[in-house]
Amino acid sequence: MIIKLYPPQAIYELGKRSNQEDCISPALGSATADDRLFVLCDGMGGHERGEVASRAICLGLTDYFHKNISPENILTDEQLQEAIEYSYQQLDMKDNGAFRKAGTTMTLLFFHRGGCTAAHIGDSRIYHVRPSSRTLLYKSRDHSLVFELYQ
């Protein structure tokens, strides 16, 4: 069997809003085949300071994983929960009391010895595309109110 690895790709569409509220790690265009953690956060429309929330959560998760979690081990649910709690703490440290309503979506992929962990909250999605056969192998489910009403 021949396995061909493609460089990680992010599909990114700049919206029409003047205030873009998304944050991606690794930064757009800097991902390599050595990266194992991928995070995308998009501030929630209609909430104040979504750009602060998305950046704090995205960078908080990235910081926690790089300092505390090795892809050479299997990621546990407890470690993922600790990383999420750490990122919430990072957001709380940026809060001056004026924007407790800041919110963000979160999408995370982490490749580790046990496989791949995919986690997401909100309407940012995860897709697994197989370029050679032009097929879609996996698509995460939208957690938005609109999708729930549709269901």
Side-chain angles (χ1 to χ4, degrees):
M1 174 192 300
I2 297 173
I3 298 175
K4 183 174 182 180
L5 295 177
Y6 292 90
Q9 297 291 317
I11 298 171
Y12 179 83
E13 180 181 347
L14 189 60
K16 294 183 172 80
R17 294 182 184 181
S18 61
N19 181 28
Q20 294 302 314
E21 298 183 345
D22 32 342
C23 186
I24 188 170
S25 177
L28 192 62
S30 68
T32 70
D34 294 328
D35 287 311
R36 297 292 174 258
L37 175 68
F38 302 90
V39 181
L40 167 75
C41 294
D42 184 11
M44 292 168 48
H47 290 74
E48 293 181 25
R49 309 280 306 241
E51 72 281 2
V52 173
S54 66
R55 185 166 177 78
I57 298 298
C58 184
L59 298 181
L61 286 167
T62 301
D63 182 51
Y64 189 87
F65 268 82
H66 287 158
K67 289 179 180 175
N68 301 292
I69 300 173
S70 169
E72 301 303 317
N73 298 319
I74 296 173
L75 178 68
T76 66
D77 290 344
E78 292 78 22
Q79 288 173 313
L80 179 58
Q81 185 62 41
E82 289 169 6
I84 291 170
E85 288 174 13
Y86 175 83
S87 64
Y88 283 147
Q89 291 169 1
Q90 300 309 299
L91 177 57
D92 285 345
M93 289 177 11
K94 301 206 179 307
D95 184 11
N96 61 8
F99 60 92
R100 277 276 182 208
K101 295 181 183 177
T104 184
T105 66
M106 184 277 296
T107 304
L108 175 145
L109 278 178
F110 183 60
F111 294 90
H112 52 88
R113 194 180 106 228
C116 177
T117 297
H120 75 108
I121 301 169
D123 61 357
S124 292
R125 305 291 294 277
I126 300 169
Y127 296 89
H128 178 181
V129 179
R130 181 165 284 159
S132 60
S133 62
R134 297 181 180 182
T135 56
L136 188 63
L137 300 175
Y138 173 78
K139 178 173 69 171
S140 61
R141 187 168 180 251
D142 191 331
H143 295 132
S144 70
L145 175 62
V146 172
F147 186 74
E148 291 300 320
L149 293 172
Y150 170 77
Q151 291 295 86

